[in-house]
Amino acid sequence: MDHTDLYINGAWVPTDDRFDVVNPANEAVLASVASAGIEHADAALDAAEAAMADWAARTPRERSEVLRKAWELMTERRDHFAHLMTLENGKAGVDARGEATYAAEFFRWFAEEAVRADGLITHAPVSGARIMVQHKPAGLAVLITPWNYPAAMGTRKIAPALAAGCGVIIKPASETPLTMLALMPLLEEAGVPKGLVNVLPTKRTGPLVDHMLHDPRVRVVSFTGSTGVGRTLLKSAADQVLKPAMELGGNAPVVVFEDADMDTAIEGTMLAKMRNLGEACTAANRIYVHADIAEAFTKRLAERMSALKVGDGTDPSVDVGPLVNAATRDKVADFVADAVAKGAKVECGGKLPEGTGYFYPPTVLSNVPEHAECVQDEIFGPVAAIQTFTDQDDVIRRANDTEYGLVAYVFSGDFKRALQVCERLDYGMVGLNRGLVSDPAAPFGGTKQSGLGREGGHEGMLEFMETQYISASW
Ligand code: NAP
């Protein structure tokens, strides 16, 4: 591996304290990565502060052109990043290439947004003063990302932060720090000034992040990960009243009505379930199928799931790679055992394979009871848990009956009914006759305990900006 040290102020910084990154397909150590301490966090904050002064003063067009160049370079080198993600995360080539393209697109989108930080000027209705509104860079941002999308969860934060004029420190997930480190030379080549973006892998995650969130120069904390860690960070962020952007967990329902086009519903459910082998906050977690079509739907889904080839993601014929680590794989196996013990039927898969690597087969469960753990909790693996319904109001109630509110999916041929159902779903995003909602041009984010704020779209850059209003007379 080329880059395994900390990246601070445009330089590679080795440390004595290091940790291993493991390839989940063969359990072999891929790299030994530097682990940042408090002194490195301070150095990164100093570097980001110094670089931000110049960067924020540049014209939006200059910032935009650097981001555009980053998109071009990342698109050119898509296969390099895809391969690295397969090695450290395990995802199959098709998922890895999809992620690399998606990750690069955030640079293109925010290159376009950088020049569109709209303001407002208007008359105050009573006093007659002018109300002038503008957006300014919020300050240094600490970005914390998960292992399931090692590139895209980083670029979804870096690109809007840079577009807004902010300097950043990124703490990538310990399972997958290599992709973010590999992105740094590309950003340098694109023209990102040294010090503006710093990467700090660490094994002392809690204390290191907490230290940065108490530095008075930091104004934004942007986190993607589990709801539990999100709560901890919100508490920590409260001390300095930081701007929080929280992309947290999900428990996505899929609702398939009896009037849905069966091909569309199967394709959409496959995508919602199996993109990134189910290791996605947007993954279909609870699949509610109308009783009239449940048998046919289940049979077709099981046929499609059992036809997927499982193996090392570096093999181009493989559809499904290993899960990221043994704990994630074991949790998936436990969910299946729990559901079966409570009355679910295994339609395909469901058997933990022997041998090396954290593999779990694509699995379809039918007749899953409401109190099964996989209905209540995020599965984060290749298990499709099917339940049935007959009544529209009842299925909407069940779909909303969770503390999460990230994304829901609806399949119906009756557009009027489908839109009425979408509006009653308490979710930040809904896929209607589609199994994929993620798009750099759309506001990604959830309601309830799935998070605060939005990434992508027009909203994404505003997460890194403060609104200033000037009351003026002339
Ligand atoms: P996680 O355990 O919450 O970890 C995410 C990041 O937080 C990692 O970088 C981790 O570092 C760091 N972290 C852990 N404890 C911390 C602490 N006390 N203080 C500060 N940072 C801390 O989540 P994960 O297992 O990597 O990812 C899976 C979760 O992410 C799922 O719940 C999924 O739904 C969610 N997710 C949400 C979205 C979204 O957009 N809503 C997207 C993707 C994933 P270490 O690796 O060093 O522990």
Side-chain angles (χ1 to χ4, degrees), residues 254 256 261-275 282-284 287 297 300-301 304 409-411 431-437:
V254 177
V256 185
D261 176 73
M262 186 62 95
D263 291 343
T264 305
I266 292 288
E267 279 312 315
T269 305
M270 284 297 292
L271 191 56
K273 181 69 253 179
M274 292 307 292
R275 192 168 72 107
T282 51
I287 303 173
F297 179 94
R300 290 226 4 219
L301 193 71
R304 287 290 302 276
Y409 303 91
V410 174
F411 292 91
L432 173 50
N433 292 326
R434 284 178 61 79
L436 177 68
V437 295

PDB file of all heavy atoms in Angstrom, residues 254 256 261-275 282-284 287 297 300-301 304 409-411 431-437:
ATOM      1  N   VAL A 254     -39.785  -1.612   2.780  1.00  0.00           N
ATOM      2  CA  VAL A 254     -40.165  -1.685   1.359  1.00  0.00           C
ATOM      3  C   VAL A 254     -41.624  -2.122   1.367  1.00  0.00           C
ATOM      4  O   VAL A 254     -41.956  -3.140   1.984  1.00  0.00           O
ATOM      5  CB  VAL A 254     -39.329  -2.751   0.615  1.00  0.00           C
ATOM      6  CG1 VAL A 254     -39.774  -2.882  -0.832  1.00  0.00           C
ATOM      7  CG2 VAL A 254     -37.847  -2.436   0.702  1.00  0.00           C
ATOM      8  N   VAL A 256     -44.665  -3.288  -1.022  1.00  0.00           N
ATOM      9  CA  VAL A 256     -45.004  -3.716  -2.387  1.00  0.00           C
ATOM     10  C   VAL A 256     -46.518  -3.955  -2.443  1.00  0.00           C
ATOM     11  O   VAL A 256     -47.023  -4.913  -1.831  1.00  0.00           O
ATOM     12  CB  VAL A 256     -44.238  -4.996  -2.782  1.00  0.00           C
ATOM     13  CG1 VAL A 256     -44.515  -5.353  -4.235  1.00  0.00           C
ATOM     14  CG2 VAL A 256     -42.734  -4.842  -2.539  1.00  0.00           C
ATOM     15  N   ASP A 261     -45.972  -3.369 -10.585  1.00  0.00           N
ATOM     16  CA  ASP A 261     -45.403  -4.160 -11.672  1.00  0.00           C
ATOM     17  C   ASP A 261     -44.368  -5.107 -11.048  1.00  0.00           C
ATOM     18  O   ASP A 261     -43.423  -4.642 -10.395  1.00  0.00           O
ATOM     19  CB  ASP A 261     -44.739  -3.221 -12.695  1.00  0.00           C
ATOM     20  CG  ASP A 261     -44.054  -3.998 -13.790  1.00  0.00           C
ATOM     21  OD1 ASP A 261     -44.766  -4.553 -14.631  1.00  0.00           O
ATOM     22  OD2 ASP A 261     -42.802  -4.077 -13.772  1.00  0.00           O
ATOM     23  N   MET A 262     -44.555  -6.404 -11.236  1.00  0.00           N
ATOM     24  CA  MET A 262     -43.726  -7.381 -10.514  1.00  0.00           C
ATOM     25  C   MET A 262     -42.239  -7.257 -10.887  1.00  0.00           C
ATOM     26  O   MET A 262     -41.372  -7.306 -10.014  1.00  0.00           O
ATOM     27  CB  MET A 262     -44.241  -8.794 -10.803  1.00  0.00           C
ATOM     28  CG  MET A 262     -43.551  -9.870 -10.015  1.00  0.00           C
ATOM     29  SD  MET A 262     -43.762  -9.734  -8.213  1.00  0.00           S
ATOM     30  CE  MET A 262     -45.155 -10.808  -7.936  1.00  0.00           C
ATOM     31  N   ASP A 263     -41.951  -7.045 -12.182  1.00  0.00           N
ATOM     32  CA  ASP A 263     -40.539  -6.929 -12.579  1.00  0.00           C
ATOM     33  C   ASP A 263     -39.887  -5.728 -11.903  1.00  0.00           C
ATOM     34  O   ASP A 263     -38.762  -5.811 -11.406  1.00  0.00           O
ATOM     35  CB  ASP A 263     -40.411  -6.771 -14.107  1.00  0.00           C
ATOM     36  CG  ASP A 263     -40.805  -8.042 -14.831  1.00  0.00           C
ATOM     37  OD1 ASP A 263     -40.856  -9.104 -14.175  1.00  0.00           O
ATOM     38  OD2 ASP A 263     -41.080  -7.964 -16.038  1.00  0.00           O
ATOM     39  N   THR A 264     -40.608  -4.609 -11.892  1.00  0.00           N
ATOM     40  CA  THR A 264     -40.071  -3.386 -11.281  1.00  0.00           C
ATOM     41  C   THR A 264     -39.849  -3.602  -9.790  1.00  0.00           C
ATOM     42  O   THR A 264     -38.828  -3.190  -9.228  1.00  0.00           O
ATOM     43  CB  THR A 264     -41.065  -2.212 -11.487  1.00  0.00           C
ATOM     44  OG1 THR A 264     -41.331  -2.099 -12.870  1.00  0.00           O
ATOM     45  CG2 THR A 264     -40.512  -0.904 -10.949  1.00  0.00           C
ATOM     46  N   ALA A 265     -40.817  -4.256  -9.146  1.00  0.00           N
ATOM     47  CA  ALA A 265     -40.715  -4.463  -7.692  1.00  0.00           C
ATOM     48  C   ALA A 265     -39.546  -5.395  -7.354  1.00  0.00           C
ATOM     49  O   ALA A 265     -38.817  -5.158  -6.385  1.00  0.00           O
ATOM     50  CB  ALA A 265     -42.030  -5.029  -7.156  1.00  0.00           C
ATOM     51  N   ILE A 266     -39.352  -6.422  -8.162  1.00  0.00           N
ATOM     52  CA  ILE A 266     -38.237  -7.354  -7.893  1.00  0.00           C
ATOM     53  C   ILE A 266     -36.896  -6.656  -8.126  1.00  0.00           C
ATOM     54  O   ILE A 266     -35.988  -6.721  -7.289  1.00  0.00           O
ATOM     55  CB  ILE A 266     -38.363  -8.629  -8.770  1.00  0.00           C
ATOM     56  CG1 ILE A 266     -39.581  -9.461  -8.342  1.00  0.00           C
ATOM     57  CG2 ILE A 266     -37.088  -9.464  -8.729  1.00  0.00           C
ATOM     58  CD1 ILE A 266     -39.446 -10.183  -7.002  1.00  0.00           C
ATOM     59  N   GLU A 267     -36.787  -5.959  -9.271  1.00  0.00           N
ATOM     60  CA  GLU A 267     -35.534  -5.235  -9.564  1.00  0.00           C
ATOM     61  C   GLU A 267     -35.223  -4.231  -8.462  1.00  0.00           C
ATOM     62  O   GLU A 267     -34.101  -4.127  -7.968  1.00  0.00           O
ATOM     63  CB  GLU A 267     -35.646  -4.452 -10.889  1.00  0.00           C
ATOM     64  CG  GLU A 267     -35.424  -5.263 -12.129  1.00  0.00           C
ATOM     65  CD  GLU A 267     -34.190  -6.137 -12.073  1.00  0.00           C
ATOM     66  OE1 GLU A 267     -33.133  -5.647 -11.637  1.00  0.00           O
ATOM     67  OE2 GLU A 267     -34.276  -7.313 -12.444  1.00  0.00           O
ATOM     68  N   GLY A 268     -36.250  -3.466  -8.097  1.00  0.00           N
ATOM     69  CA  GLY A 268     -36.066  -2.418  -7.088  1.00  0.00           C
ATOM     70  C   GLY A 268     -35.689  -3.002  -5.739  1.00  0.00           C
ATOM     71  O   GLY A 268     -34.807  -2.482  -5.037  1.00  0.00           O
ATOM     72  N   THR A 269     -36.333  -4.089  -5.363  1.00  0.00           N
ATOM     73  CA  THR A 269     -36.035  -4.706  -4.063  1.00  0.00           C
ATOM     74  C   THR A 269     -34.627  -5.298  -4.077  1.00  0.00           C
ATOM     75  O   THR A 269     -33.885  -5.185  -3.087  1.00  0.00           O
ATOM     76  CB  THR A 269     -37.080  -5.786  -3.731  1.00  0.00           C
ATOM     77  OG1 THR A 269     -38.374  -5.194  -3.793  1.00  0.00           O
ATOM     78  CG2 THR A 269     -36.875  -6.362  -2.336  1.00  0.00           C
ATOM     79  N   MET A 270     -34.240  -5.913  -5.187  1.00  0.00           N
ATOM     80  CA  MET A 270     -32.872  -6.452  -5.291  1.00  0.00           C
ATOM     81  C   MET A 270     -31.843  -5.344  -5.092  1.00  0.00           C
ATOM     82  O   MET A 270     -30.863  -5.508  -4.364  1.00  0.00           O
ATOM     83  CB  MET A 270     -32.647  -7.098  -6.676  1.00  0.00           C
ATOM     84  CG  MET A 270     -33.279  -8.446  -6.851  1.00  0.00           C
ATOM     85  SD  MET A 270     -32.600  -9.698  -5.729  1.00  0.00           S
ATOM     86  CE  MET A 270     -30.930  -9.892  -6.349  1.00  0.00           C
ATOM     87  N   LEU A 271     -32.090  -4.207  -5.734  1.00  0.00           N
ATOM     88  CA  LEU A 271     -31.148  -3.095  -5.628  1.00  0.00           C
ATOM     89  C   LEU A 271     -31.142  -2.540  -4.207  1.00  0.00           C
ATOM     90  O   LEU A 271     -30.076  -2.310  -3.608  1.00  0.00           O
ATOM     91  CB  LEU A 271     -31.567  -2.002  -6.642  1.00  0.00           C
ATOM     92  CG  LEU A 271     -30.610  -0.868  -6.903  1.00  0.00           C
ATOM     93  CD1 LEU A 271     -29.249  -1.388  -7.356  1.00  0.00           C
ATOM     94  CD2 LEU A 271     -31.198   0.039  -8.003  1.00  0.00           C
ATOM     95  N   ALA A 272     -32.332  -2.328  -3.650  1.00  0.00           N
ATOM     96  CA  ALA A 272     -32.427  -1.755  -2.294  1.00  0.00           C
ATOM     97  C   ALA A 272     -31.831  -2.706  -1.261  1.00  0.00           C
ATOM     98  O   ALA A 272     -31.310  -2.277  -0.245  1.00  0.00           O
ATOM     99  CB  ALA A 272     -33.882  -1.442  -1.955  1.00  0.00           C
ATOM    100  N   LYS A 273     -31.925  -3.988  -1.515  1.00  0.00           N
ATOM    101  CA  LYS A 273     -31.399  -4.970  -0.557  1.00  0.00           C
ATOM    102  C   LYS A 273     -29.923  -5.254  -0.791  1.00  0.00           C
ATOM    103  O   LYS A 273     -29.141  -5.299   0.155  1.00  0.00           O
ATOM    104  CB  LYS A 273     -32.208  -6.276  -0.673  1.00  0.00           C
ATOM    105  CG  LYS A 273     -31.794  -7.380   0.275  1.00  0.00           C
ATOM    106  CD  LYS A 273     -32.117  -7.080   1.719  1.00  0.00           C
ATOM    107  CE  LYS A 273     -30.941  -6.753   2.571  1.00  0.00           C
ATOM    108  NZ  LYS A 273     -31.313  -6.440   3.961  1.00  0.00           N
ATOM    109  N   MET A 274     -29.527  -5.459  -2.045  1.00  0.00           N
ATOM    110  CA  MET A 274     -28.208  -6.044  -2.305  1.00  0.00           C
ATOM    111  C   MET A 274     -27.134  -5.064  -2.741  1.00  0.00           C
ATOM    112  O   MET A 274     -25.985  -5.458  -2.895  1.00  0.00           O
ATOM    113  CB  MET A 274     -28.340  -7.169  -3.325  1.00  0.00           C
ATOM    114  CG  MET A 274     -29.086  -8.368  -2.773  1.00  0.00           C
ATOM    115  SD  MET A 274     -28.388  -8.985  -1.200  1.00  0.00           S
ATOM    116  CE  MET A 274     -26.811  -9.614  -1.761  1.00  0.00           C
ATOM    117  N   ARG A 275     -27.484  -3.782  -2.982  1.00  0.00           N
ATOM    118  CA  ARG A 275     -26.415  -2.822  -3.276  1.00  0.00           C
ATOM    119  C   ARG A 275     -25.481  -2.815  -2.076  1.00  0.00           C
ATOM    120  O   ARG A 275     -25.939  -2.733  -0.927  1.00  0.00           O
ATOM    121  CB  ARG A 275     -27.007  -1.425  -3.514  1.00  0.00           C
ATOM    122  CG  ARG A 275     -25.996  -0.458  -4.093  1.00  0.00           C
ATOM    123  CD  ARG A 275     -26.689   0.794  -4.577  1.00  0.00           C
ATOM    124  NE  ARG A 275     -27.138   1.602  -3.463  1.00  0.00           N
ATOM    125  CZ  ARG A 275     -26.579   2.755  -3.081  1.00  0.00           C
ATOM    126  NH1 ARG A 275     -25.548   3.232  -3.731  1.00  0.00           N
ATOM    127  NH2 ARG A 275     -27.062   3.426  -2.071  1.00  0.00           N
ATOM    128  N   THR A 282     -29.226   2.696   3.686  1.00  0.00           N
ATOM    129  CA  THR A 282     -30.434   2.746   2.856  1.00  0.00           C
ATOM    130  C   THR A 282     -30.966   1.345   2.525  1.00  0.00           C
ATOM    131  O   THR A 282     -31.939   1.218   1.792  1.00  0.00           O
ATOM    132  CB  THR A 282     -30.113   3.458   1.527  1.00  0.00           C
ATOM    133  OG1 THR A 282     -28.949   2.831   0.975  1.00  0.00           O
ATOM    134  CG2 THR A 282     -29.866   4.943   1.712  1.00  0.00           C
ATOM    135  N   ALA A 283     -30.327   0.291   3.041  1.00  0.00           N
ATOM    136  CA  ALA A 283     -30.695  -1.073   2.634  1.00  0.00           C
ATOM    137  C   ALA A 283     -32.114  -1.440   3.086  1.00  0.00           C
ATOM    138  O   ALA A 283     -32.525  -1.116   4.202  1.00  0.00           O
ATOM    139  CB  ALA A 283     -29.703  -2.071   3.220  1.00  0.00           C
ATOM    140  N   ALA A 284     -32.822  -2.142   2.208  1.00  0.00           N
ATOM    141  CA  ALA A 284     -34.159  -2.645   2.535  1.00  0.00           C
ATOM    142  C   ALA A 284     -34.048  -3.548   3.761  1.00  0.00           C
ATOM    143  O   ALA A 284     -33.329  -4.547   3.729  1.00  0.00           O
ATOM    144  CB  ALA A 284     -34.692  -3.444   1.351  1.00  0.00           C
ATOM    145  N   ILE A 287     -39.409  -5.994   4.451  1.00  0.00           N
ATOM    146  CA  ILE A 287     -40.080  -6.033   3.143  1.00  0.00           C
ATOM    147  C   ILE A 287     -41.524  -6.475   3.363  1.00  0.00           C
ATOM    148  O   ILE A 287     -41.781  -7.625   3.741  1.00  0.00           O
ATOM    149  CB  ILE A 287     -39.330  -6.975   2.175  1.00  0.00           C
ATOM    150  CG1 ILE A 287     -37.863  -6.502   2.060  1.00  0.00           C
ATOM    151  CG2 ILE A 287     -40.014  -7.012   0.813  1.00  0.00           C
ATOM    152  CD1 ILE A 287     -36.965  -7.427   1.280  1.00  0.00           C
ATOM    153  N   PHE A 297     -44.005 -13.169  -5.351  1.00  0.00           N
ATOM    154  CA  PHE A 297     -42.882 -12.243  -5.106  1.00  0.00           C
ATOM    155  C   PHE A 297     -41.738 -12.976  -4.398  1.00  0.00           C
ATOM    156  O   PHE A 297     -40.567 -12.876  -4.796  1.00  0.00           O
ATOM    157  CB  PHE A 297     -43.380 -11.056  -4.264  1.00  0.00           C
ATOM    158  CG  PHE A 297     -42.306 -10.048  -3.930  1.00  0.00           C
ATOM    159  CD1 PHE A 297     -42.109  -8.926  -4.724  1.00  0.00           C
ATOM    160  CD2 PHE A 297     -41.493 -10.216  -2.809  1.00  0.00           C
ATOM    161  CE1 PHE A 297     -41.113  -7.994  -4.416  1.00  0.00           C
ATOM    162  CE2 PHE A 297     -40.503  -9.297  -2.497  1.00  0.00           C
ATOM    163  CZ  PHE A 297     -40.308  -8.185  -3.304  1.00  0.00           C
ATOM    164  N   ARG A 300     -39.836 -15.379  -6.693  1.00  0.00           N
ATOM    165  CA  ARG A 300     -38.952 -14.698  -7.657  1.00  0.00           C
ATOM    166  C   ARG A 300     -37.748 -14.082  -6.964  1.00  0.00           C
ATOM    167  O   ARG A 300     -36.636 -14.111  -7.479  1.00  0.00           O
ATOM    168  CB  ARG A 300     -39.736 -13.610  -8.403  1.00  0.00           C
ATOM    169  CG  ARG A 300     -40.725 -14.214  -9.344  1.00  0.00           C
ATOM    170  CD  ARG A 300     -40.819 -13.668 -10.735  1.00  0.00           C
ATOM    171  NE  ARG A 300     -39.934 -12.657 -11.194  1.00  0.00           N
ATOM    172  CZ  ARG A 300     -40.336 -11.657 -11.974  1.00  0.00           C
ATOM    173  NH1 ARG A 300     -41.610 -11.551 -12.312  1.00  0.00           N
ATOM    174  NH2 ARG A 300     -39.474 -10.780 -12.437  1.00  0.00           N
ATOM    175  N   LEU A 301     -37.977 -13.510  -5.789  1.00  0.00           N
ATOM    176  CA  LEU A 301     -36.847 -12.893  -5.079  1.00  0.00           C
ATOM    177  C   LEU A 301     -35.829 -13.962  -4.677  1.00  0.00           C
ATOM    178  O   LEU A 301     -34.613 -13.774  -4.824  1.00  0.00           O
ATOM    179  CB  LEU A 301     -37.337 -12.115  -3.837  1.00  0.00           C
ATOM    180  CG  LEU A 301     -36.289 -11.198  -3.218  1.00  0.00           C
ATOM    181  CD1 LEU A 301     -36.013  -9.978  -4.115  1.00  0.00           C
ATOM    182  CD2 LEU A 301     -36.715 -10.707  -1.835  1.00  0.00           C
ATOM    183  N   ARG A 304     -33.747 -14.972  -7.646  1.00  0.00           N
ATOM    184  CA  ARG A 304     -32.720 -13.965  -7.978  1.00  0.00           C
ATOM    185  C   ARG A 304     -31.598 -13.968  -6.948  1.00  0.00           C
ATOM    186  O   ARG A 304     -30.425 -13.876  -7.294  1.00  0.00           O
ATOM    187  CB  ARG A 304     -33.369 -12.566  -8.032  1.00  0.00           C
ATOM    188  CG  ARG A 304     -34.238 -12.321  -9.251  1.00  0.00           C
ATOM    189  CD  ARG A 304     -33.413 -12.199 -10.529  1.00  0.00           C
ATOM    190  NE  ARG A 304     -32.426 -11.126 -10.436  1.00  0.00           N
ATOM    191  CZ  ARG A 304     -32.684  -9.843 -10.684  1.00  0.00           C
ATOM    192  NH1 ARG A 304     -33.882  -9.487 -11.089  1.00  0.00           N
ATOM    193  NH2 ARG A 304     -31.740  -8.929 -10.569  1.00  0.00           N
ATOM    194  N   TYR A 409     -39.253   2.586   0.687  1.00  0.00           N
ATOM    195  CA  TYR A 409     -39.461   2.295  -0.736  1.00  0.00           C
ATOM    196  C   TYR A 409     -40.910   1.846  -0.934  1.00  0.00           C
ATOM    197  O   TYR A 409     -41.434   1.078  -0.116  1.00  0.00           O
ATOM    198  CB  TYR A 409     -38.523   1.174  -1.216  1.00  0.00           C
ATOM    199  CG  TYR A 409     -37.058   1.488  -0.982  1.00  0.00           C
ATOM    200  CD1 TYR A 409     -36.424   1.107   0.203  1.00  0.00           C
ATOM    201  CD2 TYR A 409     -36.311   2.177  -1.938  1.00  0.00           C
ATOM    202  CE1 TYR A 409     -35.083   1.406   0.427  1.00  0.00           C
ATOM    203  CE2 TYR A 409     -34.964   2.475  -1.721  1.00  0.00           C
ATOM    204  CZ  TYR A 409     -34.358   2.086  -0.539  1.00  0.00           C
ATOM    205  OH  TYR A 409     -33.034   2.380  -0.301  1.00  0.00           O
ATOM    206  N   VAL A 410     -41.527   2.348  -2.012  1.00  0.00           N
ATOM    207  CA  VAL A 410     -42.918   1.998  -2.294  1.00  0.00           C
ATOM    208  C   VAL A 410     -42.999   1.523  -3.744  1.00  0.00           C
ATOM    209  O   VAL A 410     -42.451   2.174  -4.646  1.00  0.00           O
ATOM    210  CB  VAL A 410     -43.829   3.241  -2.107  1.00  0.00           C
ATOM    211  CG1 VAL A 410     -45.262   2.937  -2.536  1.00  0.00           C
ATOM    212  CG2 VAL A 410     -43.789   3.717  -0.653  1.00  0.00           C
ATOM    213  N   PHE A 411     -43.684   0.398  -3.947  1.00  0.00           N
ATOM    214  CA  PHE A 411     -43.901  -0.094  -5.308  1.00  0.00           C
ATOM    215  C   PHE A 411     -45.415  -0.216  -5.543  1.00  0.00           C
ATOM    216  O   PHE A 411     -46.107  -0.938  -4.815  1.00  0.00           O
ATOM    217  CB  PHE A 411     -43.210  -1.448  -5.523  1.00  0.00           C
ATOM    218  CG  PHE A 411     -41.715  -1.310  -5.486  1.00  0.00           C
ATOM    219  CD1 PHE A 411     -41.024  -1.457  -4.294  1.00  0.00           C
ATOM    220  CD2 PHE A 411     -41.012  -0.981  -6.637  1.00  0.00           C
ATOM    221  CE1 PHE A 411     -39.642  -1.296  -4.251  1.00  0.00           C
ATOM    222  CE2 PHE A 411     -39.632  -0.813  -6.607  1.00  0.00           C
ATOM    223  CZ  PHE A 411     -38.949  -0.965  -5.407  1.00  0.00           C
ATOM    224  N   GLY A 431     -38.153   6.070  -2.087  1.00  0.00           N
ATOM    225  CA  GLY A 431     -37.955   5.576  -3.447  1.00  0.00           C
ATOM    226  C   GLY A 431     -39.295   5.077  -3.960  1.00  0.00           C
ATOM    227  O   GLY A 431     -39.865   4.160  -3.373  1.00  0.00           O
ATOM    228  N   LEU A 432     -39.808   5.695  -5.015  1.00  0.00           N
ATOM    229  CA  LEU A 432     -41.106   5.290  -5.551  1.00  0.00           C
ATOM    230  C   LEU A 432     -40.872   4.527  -6.856  1.00  0.00           C
ATOM    231  O   LEU A 432     -40.388   5.111  -7.841  1.00  0.00           O
ATOM    232  CB  LEU A 432     -41.982   6.532  -5.780  1.00  0.00           C
ATOM    233  CG  LEU A 432     -43.320   6.316  -6.483  1.00  0.00           C
ATOM    234  CD1 LEU A 432     -44.132   5.195  -5.857  1.00  0.00           C
ATOM    235  CD2 LEU A 432     -44.126   7.607  -6.490  1.00  0.00           C
ATOM    236  N   ASN A 433     -41.192   3.246  -6.842  1.00  0.00           N
ATOM    237  CA  ASN A 433     -40.915   2.343  -7.961  1.00  0.00           C
ATOM    238  C   ASN A 433     -39.432   2.353  -8.337  1.00  0.00           C
ATOM    239  O   ASN A 433     -39.069   2.174  -9.499  1.00  0.00           O
ATOM    240  CB  ASN A 433     -41.796   2.672  -9.184  1.00  0.00           C
ATOM    241  CG  ASN A 433     -43.258   2.357  -8.895  1.00  0.00           C
ATOM    242  OD1 ASN A 433     -43.566   1.409  -8.171  1.00  0.00           O
ATOM    243  ND2 ASN A 433     -44.156   3.159  -9.442  1.00  0.00           N
ATOM    244  N   ARG A 434     -38.591   2.610  -7.344  1.00  0.00           N
ATOM    245  CA  ARG A 434     -37.136   2.615  -7.515  1.00  0.00           C
ATOM    246  C   ARG A 434     -36.491   2.072  -6.248  1.00  0.00           C
ATOM    247  O   ARG A 434     -36.962   2.341  -5.152  1.00  0.00           O
ATOM    248  CB  ARG A 434     -36.612   4.052  -7.678  1.00  0.00           C
ATOM    249  CG  ARG A 434     -36.851   4.680  -9.025  1.00  0.00           C
ATOM    250  CD  ARG A 434     -36.322   6.104  -9.013  1.00  0.00           C
ATOM    251  NE  ARG A 434     -34.878   6.142  -8.760  1.00  0.00           N
ATOM    252  CZ  ARG A 434     -33.945   5.892  -9.665  1.00  0.00           C
ATOM    253  NH1 ARG A 434     -34.296   5.586 -10.904  1.00  0.00           N
ATOM    254  NH2 ARG A 434     -32.671   5.952  -9.370  1.00  0.00           N
ATOM    255  N   GLY A 435     -35.368   1.352  -6.430  1.00  0.00           N
ATOM    256  CA  GLY A 435     -34.671   0.819  -5.259  1.00  0.00           C
ATOM    257  C   GLY A 435     -33.426   1.610  -4.909  1.00  0.00           C
ATOM    258  O   GLY A 435     -32.609   1.155  -4.106  1.00  0.00           O
ATOM    259  N   LEU A 436     -33.278   2.779  -5.509  1.00  0.00           N
ATOM    260  CA  LEU A 436     -32.065   3.573  -5.273  1.00  0.00           C
ATOM    261  C   LEU A 436     -32.464   5.051  -5.187  1.00  0.00           C
ATOM    262  O   LEU A 436     -33.096   5.567  -6.115  1.00  0.00           O
ATOM    263  CB  LEU A 436     -31.093   3.372  -6.446  1.00  0.00           C
ATOM    264  CG  LEU A 436     -29.799   4.173  -6.424  1.00  0.00           C
ATOM    265  CD1 LEU A 436     -28.894   3.708  -5.293  1.00  0.00           C
ATOM    266  CD2 LEU A 436     -29.067   4.026  -7.758  1.00  0.00           C
ATOM    267  N   VAL A 437     -32.110   5.694  -4.086  1.00  0.00           N
ATOM    268  CA  VAL A 437     -32.436   7.122  -3.958  1.00  0.00           C
ATOM    269  C   VAL A 437     -31.185   8.001  -3.949  1.00  0.00           C
ATOM    270  O   VAL A 437     -31.279   9.204  -4.167  1.00  0.00           O
ATOM    271  CB  VAL A 437     -33.246   7.420  -2.667  1.00  0.00           C
ATOM    272  CG1 VAL A 437     -34.614   6.768  -2.705  1.00  0.00           C
ATOM    273  CG2 VAL A 437     -32.482   6.992  -1.411  1.00  0.00           C
TER     274      VAL A 437
END
